[in-house]
Amino acid sequence: MTGRAQDGLLFLARLLLAAALLPTGVARALNVSGFAVTLAATGLPSPNAVATAAVIVQVFGPVALILGVLPRLSGLALAVFVGVMAVLLHPFWQFSGPSAVAERTLMLADFGLAGGFLIYAMTGPGRWSWQGWRQGARASAGAGKASAKAPATSSAAARGGSKPKRAPGRNPARAAA
């Protein structure tokens, strides 16, 4: 697979994973107290604090995912979030019949999302992301510095001289910075 195709598929995967959480996160952000009531019904202590933290993760996590910011941290945080919420919101063992099957299916779907977030945390976002842009900017800046230094060393070699000797101590590039 070519690099462009792989980067495109990683971007598409990030969009699809974010689409699984972001709409619900926005809806919960508009009604945090209602979500806190849902959490309180599960017997969770401090439902307001948990609901607020969950909304923050569920809104800002997918945004970080789409942009490709801090992939290891955001991927792990989203995987843990989805796994914990799956257990809290879909306790299939408390149901019987079709309700238990539906809750188990929802829990397994959430665990599948958690797996996707873990894969993202391990593979990274690809070049079509904030991280990829930063790495590309660093590489082009490094290439610019290398090409700027190349004529100076080749001209010294062309004159028959050897490489200029550096004074012991700090690297001149570091000393200027």
Side-chain angles (χ1 to χ4, degrees):
M1 181 177 299
T2 66
R4 289 190 116 165
Q6 184 175 357
D7 291 331
L9 286 175
L10 285 171
F11 180 65
L12 178 63
R14 291 191 341 252
L15 289 176
L16 291 173
L17 284 170
L21 290 183
L22 191 58
T24 307
V26 171
R28 287 179 178 169
L30 297 174
N31 187 12
V32 176
S33 60
F35 182 48
V37 169
T38 302
L39 292 176
T42 65
L44 189 70
S46 304
N48 289 328
V50 172
T52 303
V55 165
I56 289 170
V57 169
Q58 201 167 4
V59 170
F60 291 109
V63 170
L65 181 73
I66 292 169
L67 296 175
V69 176
L70 300 170
R72 288 186 179 155
L73 178 65
S74 60
L76 288 173
L78 287 168
V80 168
F81 168 76
V82 169
V84 169
M85 284 296 152
V87 172
L88 289 176
L89 298 179
H90 304 295
F92 69 90
W93 54 90
Q94 295 176 355
F95 297 92
S96 62
S99 297
V101 172
E103 290 296 322
R104 186 181 70 228
T105 302
L106 290 170
M107 177 186 260
L108 292 175
D110 285 348
F111 285 157
L113 276 175
F117 291 130
L118 290 174
I119 290 171
Y120 165 71
M122 292 183 63
T123 61
R127 278 185 252 158
W128 294 2
S129 65
W130 172 258
Q131 182 182 13
W133 176 79
R134 284 187 57 210
Q135 288 175 348
R138 281 189 209 148
S140 64
K145 288 180 184 178
S147 64
K149 288 181 181 179
T153 56
S154 63
S155 64
R159 286 180 290 191
S162 61
K163 289 185 180 179
K165 293 184 180 179
R166 284 192 240 170
R170 294 170 63 170
N171 184 351
R174 286 192 183 257

